[in-house]
């Protein structure tokens, strides 16, 4: 199991290493050359001294213009210790591999992104001996992907969108679109992305909504995360008879998701609305209601166009 956002980042970039270079090109508009090959490297930067230093993810990108090391750090909050560790990482890696290191910081916080984007200057004021300028991906520059078709066109970027925007009023639409897009890719790749998103969602309501969405995807039942969810009591009663009642189970999961979206957005759900949604077994109708739930200002608006 992926136990932290750091390890999850390592897994997602191993699965689709080119996601990093696409993000630099499309999000930060950095003209990074198109990689011919990308390989994951050992993240251990420990020296002979008993001091262990590790980056979160380390990739080597071979391009027409040369070889680059992509050093990825997942940063939850400002940490002044990075003023020393980030320059160390880059200097050590250059010395070890003799190719240019590029520091990329990924965060869910706008304040942390602003902090991380500040250059680290070491040396005499006005005459820097060393300057480190991280490239930062965060909620202010990663696009919000809340459209199902857009998510299908670039699933890894949609995953990155969920990671940086997986909180607040936009989260339901982002997670719903990503959940639909995961059905269009192979189950093994989707399973990695499922774990990645689950481990990165800090908001408990967003995490619960994500897990509810995932119960409607067939491969999820074979995934280790499902065992964890069942162990926590979230899947009580859903597994029984799933082969015979898969459609019914998907409808139940979708109905619960609709109710949760409304409640998460602070919209009261009357018993009449709750009963009608829970009684519906038409997956197409439930999908329409789920889309309306993302934008509705009143629970009754789920049915206004009918």
């Amino acid at each position: 199991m992926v136990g932290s956002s750091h390890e999850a980042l390592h897994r997602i970039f191993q699965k689709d290493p080119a996601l990093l270079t696409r993000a630099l090109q499309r999000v930060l508009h950095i003209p990074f050359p198109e990689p011919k090959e990308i390989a994951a490297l050992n993240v251990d930067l420990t020296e002979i001294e008993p001091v262990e230093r590790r980056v979160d993810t380390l990739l080597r990108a071979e391009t027409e213009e040369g070889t680059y090391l992509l050093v990825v750090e997942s940063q939850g909050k400002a940490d002044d210790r990075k003023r020393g560790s980030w320059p160390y990482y880059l200097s050590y890696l250059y010395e070890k591999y003799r190719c240019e290191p590029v520091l990329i910081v990924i965060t869910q916080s706008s304040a942390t992104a602003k902090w991380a984007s500040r250059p680290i200057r070491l040396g005499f004021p006005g005459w820097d001996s060393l300057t480190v300028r991280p490239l930062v991906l965060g909620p202010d520059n990663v696009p919000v992907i809340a459209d199902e078709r857009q998510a299908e066109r670039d699933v890894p970027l949609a995953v990155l969108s969920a990671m940086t925007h997986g909180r607040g009023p936009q989260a339901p639409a982002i997670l719903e679109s990503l959940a639909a897009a995961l059905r269009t890719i192979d189950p093994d790749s989707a399973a990695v992305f499922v774990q990645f998103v689950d481990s990165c969602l800090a908001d408990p309501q967003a995490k619960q909504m994500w897990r509810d969405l995932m119960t409607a995807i067939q491969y999820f039942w074979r995934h280790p995360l499902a065992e964890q969810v069942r162990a926590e009591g979230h899947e009580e009663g859903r597994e029984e008879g799933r082969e015979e009642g898969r459609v019914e189970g998907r409808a139940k999961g979708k109905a619960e998701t609709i109710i949760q979206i409304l409640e998460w957005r602070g919209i009261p759900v009357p018993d009449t609305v709750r009963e009608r949604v829970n009684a519906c077994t038409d997956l197409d109708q439930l999908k329409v209601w789920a889309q309306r739930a993302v934008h509705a200002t009143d629970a009754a608006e789920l049915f206004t166009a009918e």
Side-chain angles (χ1 to χ4, degrees):
M1 285 295 297
V2 173
S4 69
S5 60
H6 290 180
E7 186 176 349
L9 275 172
H10 186 64
R11 291 286 300 279
I12 189 176
F13 291 131
Q14 279 187 326
K15 192 69 181 176
D16 184 14
L19 171 60
L20 273 179
T21 56
R22 292 203 306 276
L24 296 182
Q25 295 164 352
R26 301 179 189 179
V27 177
L28 299 182
H29 306 292
I30 301 295
F32 193 88
E34 196 68 29
K36 296 183 295 183
E37 180 183 351
I38 296 183
L41 303 178
N42 191 334
V43 299
D44 192 347
L45 309 185
T46 307
E47 296 186 274
I48 297 176
E49 293 84 354
V51 177
E52 184 176 296
R53 304 176 191 271
R54 292 179 182 270
V55 296
D56 293 335
T57 299
L58 179 61
L59 304 169
R60 182 177 59 216
E62 304 285 352
T63 77
E64 294 286 353
E65 300 177 18
T67 301
Y68 295 89
L69 297 176
L70 304 180
V71 185
V72 186
E73 286 280 275
S74 175
Q75 196 66 29
K77 60 182 180 181
D79 184 352
D80 287 337
R81 292 176 299 177
K82 297 298 183 180
R83 176 178 168 83
S85 58
W86 284 346
Y88 170 85
Y89 294 164
L90 301 181
S91 299
Y92 177 90
L93 289 168
Y94 179 79
E95 175 65 20
K96 181 175 181 178
Y97 293 100
R98 288 296 171 175
C99 51
E100 302 297 335
V102 179
L103 176 60
I104 303 168
V105 178
I106 300 179
T107 180
Q108 298 178 348
S109 165
S110 295
T112 302
K114 184 177 180 181
W115 164 82
S117 64
R118 297 171 185 163
I120 298 173
R121 306 183 188 277
L122 303 179
F124 188 78
W127 193 271
D128 303 332
S129 298
L130 176 64
T131 302
V132 175
R133 297 177 60 196
L135 298 173
V136 182
L137 296 169
D140 295 328
N141 56 16
V142 173
V144 173
I145 299 182
D147 176 78
E148 184 175 324
R149 291 185 178 179
Q150 187 180 4
E152 290 176 0
R153 285 195 294 270
D154 195 335
V155 175
L157 191 58
V159 171
L160 194 59
S161 175
M163 183 267 187
T164 53
H165 300 285
R167 61 178 68 181
Q170 297 181 105
I174 293 171
L175 297 178
E176 177 86 13
S177 298
L178 176 58
L182 287 177
R183 293 188 177 95
T184 66
I185 64 176
D186 69 277
D188 289 339
S189 296
V192 173
F193 294 147
V194 167
Q195 279 191 294
F196 171 69
V197 174
D198 187 82
S199 65
C200 288
L201 290 173
D203 187 313
Q205 290 179 308
K207 185 184 289 285
Q208 181 59 52
M209 177 186 172
W210 178 245
R211 291 181 172 186
D212 287 341
L213 286 168
M214 290 301 95
T215 60
I217 300 179
Q218 181 178 350
Y219 71 79
F220 179 75
W221 293 99
R222 302 192 303 271
H223 192 271
L225 181 58
E227 296 298 330
Q228 175 188 341
V229 173
R230 284 193 286 271
E232 293 172 354
H234 296 306
E235 298 301 322
E236 182 178 355
R238 290 190 184 178
E239 189 174 14
E240 183 179 356
R242 65 182 176 84
E243 288 299 331
E244 297 77 11
R246 183 171 298 140
V247 173
E248 181 181 348
R250 291 180 62 190
K252 181 180 178 182
K254 179 69 74 173
E256 291 178 357
T257 296
I258 293 169
I259 300 301
Q260 188 165 5
I261 290 174
L262 293 172
E263 292 177 341
W264 189 27
R265 297 181 60 229
I267 297 174
V269 183
D271 289 341
T272 53
V273 172
R274 191 183 303 271
E275 291 169 2
R276 182 172 176 182
V277 171
N278 286 330
C280 182
T281 57
D282 185 333
L283 291 176
D284 291 335
Q285 181 63 72
L286 289 167
K287 182 177 180 180
V288 171
W289 289 348
Q291 292 171 341
R292 291 177 184 170
V294 173
H295 306 288
T297 57
D298 185 277
E301 292 179 16
L302 294 180
F303 321 120
T304 53
E306 300 172 10

Coordinates of all heavy atoms in Angstrom, one line a residue, residues 259-290:
I259 N -25.9 12.2 -2.8 CA -26.2 12.7 -1.5 C -25.0 13.4 -0.9 O -25.1 14.5 -0.3 CB -26.8 11.6 -0.6 CG1 -28.1 11.0 -1.3 CG2 -27.2 12.2 0.7 CD1 -29.2 12.0 -1.6
Q260 N -23.9 12.7 -1.0 CA -22.7 13.2 -0.3 C -22.2 14.5 -0.9 O -21.8 15.4 -0.2 CB -21.6 12.2 -0.3 CG -20.4 12.6 0.5 CD -19.5 11.5 0.8 OE1 -19.7 10.4 0.3 NE2 -18.5 11.7 1.6
I261 N -22.3 14.6 -2.3 CA -21.9 15.9 -2.9 C -22.7 17.0 -2.4 O -22.2 18.1 -2.1 CB -22.1 15.7 -4.5 CG1 -21.0 14.8 -5.0 CG2 -21.9 17.1 -5.1 CD1 -21.2 14.5 -6.5
L262 N -24.1 16.8 -2.3 CA -24.9 17.9 -1.8 C -24.6 18.3 -0.4 O -24.5 19.4 -0.1 CB -26.4 17.4 -1.9 CG -27.0 17.3 -3.4 CD1 -28.3 16.6 -3.3 CD2 -27.0 18.6 -4.1
E263 N -24.4 17.3 0.4 CA -24.1 17.5 1.9 C -22.8 18.2 2.0 O -22.6 19.1 2.8 CB -24.2 16.2 2.7 CG -25.6 15.6 2.8 CD -25.6 14.3 3.5 OE1 -24.6 13.7 3.6 OE2 -26.7 13.9 4.0
W264 N -21.8 17.7 1.2 CA -20.5 18.3 1.3 C -20.5 19.8 0.9 O -19.8 20.6 1.5 CB -19.5 17.5 0.4 CG -18.1 17.9 0.6 CD1 -17.5 18.4 1.7 CD2 -17.0 17.8 -0.3 NE1 -16.2 18.6 1.5 CE2 -15.9 18.2 0.3 CE3 -17.0 17.3 -1.7 CZ2 -14.6 18.3 -0.4 CZ3 -15.8 17.3 -2.3 CH2 -14.6 17.8 -1.7
R265 N -21.3 20.1 0.0 CA -21.4 21.5 -0.5 C -22.3 22.4 0.4 O -22.6 23.5 0.1 CB -22.0 21.6 -1.9 CG -21.0 20.9 -2.9 CD -21.5 21.0 -4.4 NE -21.7 22.4 -4.8 CZ -22.8 22.8 -5.3 NH1 -23.8 22.1 -5.6 NH2 -22.8 24.1 -5.7
G266 N -22.8 21.7 1.5 CA -23.6 22.5 2.5 C -25.1 22.7 2.1 O -25.8 23.5 2.6
I267 N -25.6 21.8 1.2 CA -27.0 21.9 0.7 C -27.8 20.9 1.5 O -27.5 19.7 1.4 CB -27.0 21.7 -0.8 CG1 -26.2 22.7 -1.5 CG2 -28.5 21.6 -1.3 CD1 -26.2 22.5 -3.0
P268 N -28.9 21.4 2.2 CA -29.7 20.4 2.9 C -30.4 19.4 2.0 O -30.8 19.8 0.9 CB -30.7 21.4 3.6 CG -30.1 22.7 3.6 CD -29.2 22.8 2.4
V269 N -30.5 18.2 2.4 CA -31.1 17.2 1.6 C -32.4 16.6 2.3 O -32.3 15.9 3.3 CB -30.2 16.0 1.4 CG1 -30.8 14.9 0.4 CG2 -28.8 16.5 0.8
P270 N -33.6 17.1 1.9 CA -34.8 16.6 2.5 C -35.0 15.1 2.3 O -34.4 14.5 1.4 CB -35.9 17.3 1.7 CG -35.2 18.5 1.0 CD -33.8 18.0 0.8
D271 N -35.8 14.5 3.2 CA -36.0 13.0 3.1 C -36.6 12.6 1.8 O -36.3 11.5 1.2 CB -36.9 12.6 4.3 CG -36.2 12.6 5.6 OD1 -35.0 12.7 5.6 OD2 -36.9 12.7 6.6
T272 N -37.5 13.5 1.2 CA -38.1 13.1 -0.1 C -37.1 13.0 -1.2 O -37.2 12.1 -2.0 CB -39.1 14.2 -0.4 OG1 -38.5 15.5 -0.4 CG2 -40.3 14.2 0.5
V273 N -36.1 13.9 -1.2 CA -35.0 13.8 -2.2 C -34.1 12.6 -2.0 O -33.8 11.9 -2.9 CB -34.2 15.1 -2.2 CG1 -32.9 15.0 -3.1 CG2 -35.0 16.3 -2.6
R274 N -33.8 12.4 -0.7 CA -32.9 11.3 -0.4 C -33.6 10.0 -0.8 O -32.9 9.1 -1.4 CB -32.6 11.3 1.1 CG -31.5 10.3 1.6 CD -31.4 10.4 3.1 NE -31.1 11.7 3.6 CZ -29.9 12.2 3.7 NH1 -28.8 11.5 3.4 NH2 -29.7 13.5 4.1
E275 N -34.9 9.8 -0.5 CA -35.6 8.6 -0.8 C -35.7 8.3 -2.3 O -35.5 7.2 -2.8 CB -37.0 8.6 -0.2 CG -36.9 8.5 1.3 CD -38.3 8.8 1.9 OE1 -39.3 9.0 1.2 OE2 -38.4 8.8 3.2
R276 N -35.9 9.4 -3.1 CA -36.0 9.3 -4.5 C -34.7 8.9 -5.2 O -34.7 8.0 -6.0 CB -36.6 10.6 -5.1 CG -36.7 10.5 -6.6 CD -37.4 11.8 -7.2 NE -37.5 11.7 -8.6 CZ -38.1 12.7 -9.4 NH1 -38.6 13.8 -8.8 NH2 -38.1 12.6 -10.7
V277 N -33.6 9.5 -4.7 CA -32.3 9.2 -5.2 C -31.9 7.8 -4.9 O -31.5 7.0 -5.7 CB -31.2 10.2 -4.7 CG1 -29.8 9.7 -5.1 CG2 -31.5 11.6 -5.2
N278 N -32.1 7.4 -3.6 CA -31.7 6.0 -3.2 C -32.6 4.9 -3.9 O -32.1 3.8 -4.0 CB -31.9 5.9 -1.7 CG -30.8 6.6 -0.9 OD1 -29.7 6.8 -1.5 ND2 -31.0 7.1 0.2
A279 N -33.8 5.3 -4.3 CA -34.7 4.3 -4.9 C -34.4 4.1 -6.4 O -34.8 3.1 -7.0 CB -36.1 4.7 -4.7
C280 N -33.6 5.0 -7.0 CA -33.3 4.9 -8.4 C -32.3 3.9 -8.7 O -31.3 3.8 -8.1 CB -32.9 6.3 -8.9 SG -32.6 6.4 -10.7
T281 N -32.5 3.1 -9.8 CA -31.6 2.1 -10.2 C -31.1 2.3 -11.6 O -30.4 1.5 -12.2 CB -32.2 0.7 -10.1 OG1 -33.4 0.6 -10.9 CG2 -32.5 0.3 -8.7
D282 N -31.5 3.4 -12.2 CA -31.1 3.8 -13.6 C -29.8 4.5 -13.5 O -29.7 5.7 -13.1 CB -32.2 4.7 -14.2 CG -31.9 5.0 -15.7 OD1 -30.8 5.0 -16.1 OD2 -32.9 5.2 -16.4
L283 N -28.7 3.9 -14.0 CA -27.4 4.5 -13.9 C -27.3 5.7 -14.7 O -26.6 6.7 -14.3 CB -26.3 3.4 -14.4 CG -26.1 2.2 -13.4 CD1 -25.1 1.3 -14.1 CD2 -25.6 2.7 -12.1
D284 N -27.9 5.8 -15.9 CA -27.8 7.0 -16.7 C -28.5 8.2 -16.0 O -28.0 9.3 -16.0 CB -28.5 6.8 -18.1 CG -27.7 5.8 -18.9 OD1 -26.5 5.7 -18.7 OD2 -28.3 5.1 -19.8
Q285 N -29.7 7.9 -15.4 CA -30.4 8.9 -14.6 C -29.5 9.4 -13.4 O -29.4 10.6 -13.2 CB -31.7 8.4 -14.1 CG -32.5 9.5 -13.4 CD -32.9 10.6 -14.2 OE1 -33.8 10.6 -15.1 NE2 -32.3 11.8 -14.0
L286 N -28.9 8.5 -12.7 CA -28.1 8.8 -11.6 C -26.9 9.7 -12.0 O -26.5 10.6 -11.3 CB -27.6 7.6 -10.9 CG -28.7 6.8 -10.1 CD1 -28.2 5.4 -9.7 CD2 -29.2 7.6 -8.9
K287 N -26.3 9.4 -13.2 CA -25.2 10.2 -13.7 C -25.6 11.6 -13.9 O -24.9 12.5 -13.6 CB -24.7 9.5 -15.0 CG -23.5 10.3 -15.5 CD -22.9 9.6 -16.8 CE -21.7 10.3 -17.3 NZ -21.2 9.6 -18.5
V288 N -26.8 11.8 -14.5 CA -27.4 13.1 -14.7 C -27.5 13.9 -13.4 O -27.2 15.0 -13.3 CB -28.7 13.1 -15.5 CG1 -29.4 14.5 -15.5 CG2 -28.5 12.5 -16.9
W289 N -28.1 13.2 -12.4 CA -28.3 13.8 -11.1 C -27.0 14.2 -10.5 O -26.9 15.2 -9.8 CB -29.1 12.9 -10.2 CG -30.6 12.8 -10.6 CD1 -31.2 13.5 -11.5 CD2 -31.5 11.8 -10.1 NE1 -32.5 13.1 -11.6 CE2 -32.7 12.1 -10.8 CE3 -31.4 10.7 -9.2 CZ2 -33.9 11.3 -10.6 CZ3 -32.6 10.0 -9.0 CH2 -33.8 10.2 -9.6
A290 N -26.0 13.3 -10.6 CA -24.7 13.6 -10.0 C -24.0 14.8 -10.7 O -23.4 15.7 -9.9 CB -23.7 12.4 -10.3

